[in-house]
Amino acid sequence: MTNRLAKITALAAISAISLTACGANGEGSSSASSSEATTAPAASSATSADTQSGGSSADAASFKPTCPGGNISGAGSSAQLNAINQVISDYKAACSSATINYSPTGSGAGVKSFIGKQTDWAGSDSALNKDKGEPDKAKQRCNADPWHLPLAAGPIAVVYNVDGVKDLTLSTPTLAKIFSGAIKQWDDPAIKKENPSATLPSAQIEVFYRKDESGTTDNFTEFLNKAAGDIWTEKHSKTWKGAGKGADKSAGVAQAVKDTKNSISYDEWSYATKNNLDMAAIDNGNGPVKLTGESAGKAVSAAKIVGQGNDLQLELQYKDTPAGVYPAVLVTYEIACSKGQDAAKTALLKDFLSFYASEQEQQKIQDLGYAPLPSDVASKVLASAQALS
């Protein structure tokens, strides 16, 4: 873990995302468990805080919260749950007069709750979907443009549970065949060819997927479609369209794989590490790449910002990734109204999201299995958060 985190920290210091501005480019109620900011960590976060002054609006390294107080609630992505719980706890330690709730309902449900004015912001592992009319619906809800602020970068691990197999490589075409149901046995010739030294069982592959609408599913299926579109022909979607059995949210997927021999699934790196799950290396055409902070960070650094102005949507590269780049990475966005909302809630939301983007918090969440935002991107996110009005 120490080596991995050192690599992430070093990478974050040197990475530079191409800031090319191109054209701009969910189900259920918020009934899942709520994460309220009630427990203060023993840490170095801000000093007693309701009197602190704000830092530079574009300086993630020195930002300090202004602590306006009040209460806000969000819902959505469970991929960021471990990260946002840490940030909420730290913010509460700095700003005792604030109450912040976040429910990990899944990205699709989070977007629906936000559009329906049930929450103040949404957490989503993918941008608002034009095909579903989500950007227009969000604009109507806000009476202003919605903004995407990327705040948690999380690699998608291919997790598996096969006795005696601790070093597994799967090419992207083979992954697409496994998750589509075309490859059904662990000792299939394609898997054996890619793992000549592994003792693979003559057993059925038990595939698990996210049964809720999920940004993780959206990102993973986009990777499969863009990198192996001749096999995975379905377009990316928050709803799973491949083979297998459904499990509920990120924690449910991790538990299903942990409890089931000869199983495989996709899940966020933080859940894979938390549950001590084995993870496959992915060969996307330029050799096997194991999931590490460095290999995932390279994928984030290769992304482009494709939103307009303060709308910071990212475009990740899933096809033809260079050697050493882990190709399956997602970014969790906090989606908020750019202006025109309740003044007290907006003041707290902009302060909290700015705090999330700060260098201090981005460094903390890497201990939980997230890749911190490169400093230039974090500064842009902070500037966008400070521009909410």
Side-chain angles (χ1 to χ4, degrees):
M1 174 69 77
T2 301
N3 291 337
R4 188 185 80 204
L5 298 183
K7 288 180 178 179
I8 298 177
T9 304
L11 181 68
I14 64 174
S15 294
I17 286 187
S18 173
L19 303 180
T20 304
C22 304
N25 175 34
E27 171 175 298
S29 64
S30 301
S31 59
S33 61
S34 173
S35 298
E36 183 173 350
T38 56
T39 304
S44 58
S45 297
T47 56
S48 126
D50 292 299
T51 58
Q52 289 182 314
S53 59
S56 167
S57 63
D59 187 355
S62 62
F63 176 81
K64 301 294 182 184
T66 58
C67 302
N71 66 83
I72 52 175
S73 63
S77 164
S78 61
Q80 73 162 342
L81 181 61
N82 296 325
I84 201 169
N85 275 350
Q86 177 70 57
V87 179
I88 288 173
S89 182
D90 290 349
Y91 189 82
K92 179 63 179 178
C95 303
S96 59
S97 60
T99 299
I100 300 171
N101 294 297
Y102 183 79
S103 297
T105 57
S107 295
V111 168
K112 288 183 178 180
S113 295
F114 172 67
I115 289 173
K117 297 187 178 181
Q118 297 169 328
T119 56
D120 301 302
W121 89 94
S124 179
D125 303 326
S126 54
L128 294 172
N129 189 322
K130 288 184 177 180
D131 293 340
K132 293 183 176 181
E134 289 176 347
D136 290 338
K137 291 176 183 177
K139 189 170 183 177
Q140 290 176 356
R141 174 257 194 267
C142 295
N143 291 317
D145 290 327
W147 286 350
H148 298 74
L149 278 63
L151 277 162
I156 304 172
V158 175
V159 294
Y160 68 95
N161 180 349
V162 180
D163 285 342
V165 179
K166 296 296 181 183
D167 189 8
L168 182 70
T169 292
L170 296 170
S171 68
T172 304
T174 298
L175 277 173
K177 290 177 182 177
I178 290 171
F179 283 101
S180 67
I183 290 179
K184 302 179 184 299
Q185 296 287 125
W186 276 110
D187 59 351
D188 185 274
I191 302 178
K192 291 175 70 174
K193 183 178 180 180
E194 293 168 5
N195 298 274
S197 61
T199 303
L200 296 163
S202 180
Q204 180 176 321
I205 300 174
E206 300 291 342
V207 176
F208 288 100
Y209 62 85
R210 284 279 296 272
K211 68 180 181 182
D212 55 312
E213 286 192 350
S214 162
T216 308
T217 297
D218 197 27
N219 283 272
F220 188 64
T221 55
E222 183 170 18
F223 157 60
L224 292 178
N225 180 252
K226 287 188 174 180
D230 57 329
I231 301 166
W232 189 275
T233 56
E234 296 280 356
K235 291 184 178 180
H236 68 91
S237 172
K238 290 179 182 177
T239 302
W240 183 252
K241 296 179 180 178
K245 301 174 183 176
D248 193 34
K249 302 182 177 63
S250 303
V253 167
Q255 193 63 48
V257 172
K258 192 172 185 177
D259 292 344
T260 309
K261 296 297 183 184
N262 301 314
S263 60
I264 192 169
S265 190
Y266 57 94
D267 209 351
E268 293 77 32
W269 191 24
S270 61
Y271 286 86
T273 55
K274 182 178 180 179
N275 288 277
N276 297 312
L277 297 175
D278 291 320
M279 293 171 273
I282 298 178
D283 187 340
N284 202 30
N286 284 302
V289 181
K290 292 184 177 181
L291 175 47
T292 66
E294 182 178 13
S295 64
K298 287 179 179 179
V300 177
S301 69
K304 294 181 180 179
I305 293 179
V306 295
Q308 292 183 333
N310 286 311
D311 182 30
L312 303 179
Q313 296 180 47
L314 296 181
E315 183 179 273
L316 294 163
Q317 181 182 357
Y318 290 122
K319 185 177 177 61
D320 299 326
T321 48
V325 175
Y326 187 81
V329 174
L330 65 79
V331 174
T332 299
Y333 298 102
E334 313 310 324
I335 302 174
C337 298
S338 58
K339 62 181 180 180
Q341 304 307 295
D342 178 88
K345 288 182 177 291
T346 297
L348 177 54
L349 181 61
K350 70 189 291 184
D351 200 49
F352 171 69
L353 295 181
S354 299
F355 185 74
Y356 200 164
S358 69
E359 182 178 279
Q360 171 183 282
E361 294 307 302
Q362 287 293 309
Q363 289 177 346
K364 279 195 173 185
I365 66 174
Q366 67 182 315
D367 290 328
L368 304 175
Y370 299 86
L373 298 174
S375 59
D376 55 341
V377 177
S379 292
K380 285 186 173 290
V381 174
L382 179 56
S384 291
Q386 288 287 292
L388 295 172
S389 63

